Amino acid sequence: MPVFVVCELGAPPQRVKIDSPPVRVGRDPENDIVIREDGVSRDHALFVMADRGTWIVSCVSDTNPIVVDGVLTSRGATVREGSQVLVGSKYMIIFSNTDAAAAEYLGSAAGYTQASCLQCQWTGIVGTYSVEPTCPRCGGSDFSGLNHFDSGHHAVAEIEDLGDTSTIVASASELAADFSRLLKAKRSALERVDGHKEAGARLTLKETEPLVLAKSSPGAAALHGMLIVGSASISWSSSQFVIRSALTHPALKLNGKAIEGAPLKDGDLIEIGTNSFRFVVG
């Protein structure tokens, strides 16, 4: 049976061996590998053994993808000796076929650090020693904070001695700043800015419940217009709110550009026909 090395930002790596497949990963405490992070689904990923001893990891979350050996996926992929599976933003799972190889990966935990995607500002754990880091939110590969000091915005990672193993942990100031940004993001809201009667109304967003914008929605979330077909929704994903379109007509526009979905930033203008909303962080 395989051995899993679980690397968490700011904590010593852990060795996990499961006696029989499948191996379940997620936030629910009933899982075989429990990931204690808000941006991880209760049931997030599943390792299963296929024909001839091949192992496959599948993403079972409807909202949160995984990154397998640098490839962003919402479905699944084959894993091999040394494969790296990113779950959430703080946890990297290394797959191993033997105890001896797993012991080496425990000692290689220094190849993991915290970095930020320059394209969408996602921040989390990235592997720096075997595959190119990939952002689980946008699929980008351009990061700041990888073993260097970046314009004063990301503190230099520090090596912490852990005896037989070592890991790179973010500085206290960087972790505090990330936590502050996360709390602020969770207090986001939508303000109606069109000429309809609900203009000025503020819709508080919840990370546990999507906000649906549709003709049938109550109050300020209701869309006006005879030809509105479908809906749009705003939901929490990993570390920020994301808008997605299920509209047939008209198109969902973000800052004047038609889109199907995108992460939201402070001040973004959302338009659906004659309906306009402003996304506000904090």
Side-chain angles (χ1 to χ4, degrees), residues 29 43 47 49 60 71 98-99 121 147 177 186 205-206 209 224 231 245 250 259 275:
D43 298 299
F47 289 87
M49 186 167 63
V60 296
V71 179
T98 67
D99 289 302
Q121 286 74 58
N147 299 326
K186 289 184 177 182
L205 298 173
K206 301 177 182 178
E209 181 182 346
H224 299 274
S231 64
S245 174
I259 62 165
N275 304 273

Side-chain angles (χ1 to χ4, degrees), residues 7 13 94 101-112 129 164-167:
C7 299
I94 310 174
E104 293 186 12
Y105 300 138
L106 283 168
S108 299
Y112 294 97
Y129 74 90
D164 294 334
T165 63
S166 63
T167 186

Side-chain angles (χ1 to χ4, degrees), residues 19-49:
D19 293 332
S20 60
V23 178
R24 299 176 300 155
V25 181
R27 202 176 69 250
D28 192 306
E30 295 298 319
N31 284 300
D32 300 297
I33 299 177
V34 180
I35 305 296
R36 297 178 177 87
E37 183 182 338
D38 288 345
V40 172
S41 300
R42 292 182 63 83
D43 298 299
H44 198 115
L46 186 71
F47 289 87
V48 296
M49 186 167 63

Side-chain angles (χ1 to χ4, degrees), residues 59-84:
C59 182
V60 296
S61 170
D62 292 330
T63 56
N64 299 308
I66 57 177
V67 176
V68 183
D69 290 331
V71 179
L72 183 71
T73 178
S74 58
R75 295 184 179 179
T78 300
V79 289
R80 302 172 180 82
E81 180 66 50
S83 284
Q84 303 171 67

Side-chain angles (χ1 to χ4, degrees), residues 113-114 145 148-150 152-158 169-174:
T113 186
Q114 178 172 273
H148 66 278
F149 188 81
D150 177 53
H153 297 297
H154 296 277
V156 177
E158 301 171 350
V169 297
S171 68
S173 60
E174 188 174 10

Side-chain angles (χ1 to χ4, degrees), residues 192-201 220 222-225 272-277:
R192 186 141 203 159
V193 294
D194 51 36
H196 296 294
K197 61 180 180 180
E198 301 93 347
L223 299 181
H224 299 274
I272 303 172
T274 62
N275 304 273
S276 300
F277 303 88

